Amino acid sequence: MGIIEFLFGKKPKIHFDKSGSVRHDLKPEQWQAWKDRFAKNPDFNWKNHTGKVGKGKRN
């Protein structure tokens, strides 16, 4: 890691091209792992979110 990366951070893996579209430098495996994390793990599923009410106190 160089001093520039230390001071200003790494180059983002997601950026905009000249036409304004989003481009990414992520591998397809990384995208699939991200999708699987949210789809297969109930702890990360937003549909199971209880808000301020705890898991055991839901009606």
Side-chain angles (χ1 to χ4, degrees):
M1 173 172 34
I3 188 75
I4 298 297
E5 283 184 6
F6 178 77
L7 293 174
F8 300 106
K10 295 180 181 179
K11 182 179 175 186
K13 293 187 179 208
I14 298 174
H15 51 86
F16 295 95
D17 63 7
K18 291 180 182 179
S19 65
S21 298
V22 176
R23 299 287 177 208
H24 61 82
D25 297 333
L26 301 175
K27 298 175 186 173
E29 299 85 28
Q30 288 176 301
W31 279 113
Q32 191 59 44
W34 182 80
K35 287 179 186 177
D36 290 345
R37 176 182 178 191
F38 290 100
K40 294 180 180 177
N41 188 342
D43 291 335
F44 292 110
N45 188 344
W46 65 271
K47 293 177 184 176
N48 297 335
H49 193 285
T50 58
K52 292 183 178 181
V53 179
K55 284 186 178 180
K57 299 179 182 178
R58 219 170 174 197
N59 292 341

